[in-house]
Amino acid sequence: EPEVTQTPSHQVTQMGQEVILRCVPISNHLYFYWYRQILGQKVEFLVSFYNNEISEKSEIFDDQFSVERPDGSNFTLKIRSTKLEDSAMYFCAIPYGTANYGYTFGSGTRLTVV
Amino acid sequence: GESVGLHLPTLSVQEGDNSIINCAYSNSASDYFIWYKQESGKGPQFIIDIRSNMDKRQGQRVTVLLNKTVKHLSLQIAATQPGDSAVYFCASASWGKLQFGAGTQVVVTP
């Protein structure tokens, strides 16, 4: 099962500030996903990214959000102007295998907006 | 004090007993289902999956049952251990995107 590293593990930011969350898979993947989990709630889909383009996004993923693959390996989620309600755990995920179609999740970034 | 967020259903089970966690899904187009385990402060961890053309799949100490007629999924954990204490989520997949259920908190008591 491939590993996925996310940085930072915890970020505290002031409302209105920009944050960049990073995801680094061990091996190259064309597909990436970002999910969000507000404390105590279920995991929610944000966006899927295939071959350097957004393939699907949810209603949560508004104009304040963007995703990039700046150097071919890192995969970033940017929130341009954070709001209090953006406080959550953010997970990136990659699919693996051809038989299982499972998803490996990173350990997450806890974003706290104050 | 005031609680924030959804109150997760909790399953309390004695160590050594079997656990059954249930999940209902709504999307008839889902063709793939996964159970995840999430420990505090960590990301969801894959446990077992099942395709829509199957009704049962077994892994190590875990069994997933799928009833497409009533859109119901269950996870059975045999001989539950303290390390099984976590939140368990079911997820359905359609066109690569996962839709998660609300989760069940499993508490294993000695």
Side-chain angles (χ1 to χ4, degrees):
Chain A
E1 186 175 315
E3 291 183 5
V4 182
T5 301
Q6 287 188 244
T7 59
S9 57
H10 190 191
Q11 177 148 4
V12 181
T13 188
Q14 286 200 323
M15 191 169 56
Q17 295 295 305
E18 174 183 283
V19 294
I20 298 176
L21 312 181
R22 290 183 171 80
C23 174
V24 184
I26 280 191
S27 53
N28 283 332
H29 284 268
L30 293 178
Y31 264 111
F32 292 87
Y33 301 85
W34 282 100
Y35 287 80
R36 180 183 82 172
Q37 186 180 31
I38 294 172
L39 182 65
Q41 299 189 19
K42 63 182 180 181
V43 180
E44 300 173 290
F45 169 78
L46 288 177
V47 65
S48 58
F49 192 76
Y50 173 70
N51 202 24
N52 298 323
E53 288 185 1
I54 291 176
S55 56
E56 190 174 355
K57 59 184 181 180
S58 71
E59 293 175 352
I60 304 169
F61 196 88
D62 60 23
D63 292 342
Q64 295 298 317
F65 290 86
S66 62
V67 288
E68 283 184 354
R69 195 172 187 183
D71 58 9
S73 58
N74 288 334
F75 181 48
T76 63
L77 174 69
K78 182 190 293 184
I79 308 175
R80 188 170 27 245
S81 177
T82 51
K83 303 184 288 289
L84 294 177
E85 54 265 37
D86 293 327
S87 295
M89 285 289 289
Y90 288 82
F91 298 104
C92 70
I94 55 174
Y96 70 90
T98 55
N100 287 345
Y101 298 99
Y103 297 79
T104 298
F105 282 82
S107 54
T109 292
R110 179 176 296 283
L111 176 65
T112 303
V113 182
V114 297
Chain B
E2 186 179 45
S3 63
V4 178
L6 297 175
H7 176 71
L8 289 176
T10 299
L11 174 68
S12 186
V13 59
Q14 262 198 325
E15 184 177 352
D17 287 352
N18 296 334
S19 304
I20 299 178
I21 307 164
N22 296 303
C23 177
Y25 65 94
S26 57
N27 188 356
S28 301
S30 297
D31 55 3
Y32 179 65
F33 303 87
I34 314 169
W35 278 100
Y36 282 96
K37 171 185 179 183
Q38 188 178 28
E39 296 172 294
S40 181
K42 296 184 179 179
Q45 179 186 357
F46 175 91
I47 301 174
I48 191 168
D49 57 2
I50 188 168
R51 290 188 174 279
S52 59
N53 62 353
M54 303 169 68
D55 53 22
K56 181 179 180 179
R57 189 159 188 234
Q58 286 184 295
Q60 189 176 17
R61 283 201 308 121
V62 294
T63 300
V64 54
L65 299 177
L66 174 63
N67 186 331
K68 294 182 290 293
T69 303
V70 295
K71 297 181 191 170
H72 183 266
L73 197 66
S74 69
L75 177 70
Q76 300 176 4
I77 305 174
T80 312
Q81 302 169 359
D84 295 327
S85 292
V87 176
Y88 290 80
F89 293 96
C90 67
S92 60
S94 181
W95 296 102
K97 183 178 68 176
L98 292 180
Q99 189 167 15
F100 282 82
T104 296
Q105 175 87 53
V106 172
V107 177
V108 181
T109 57

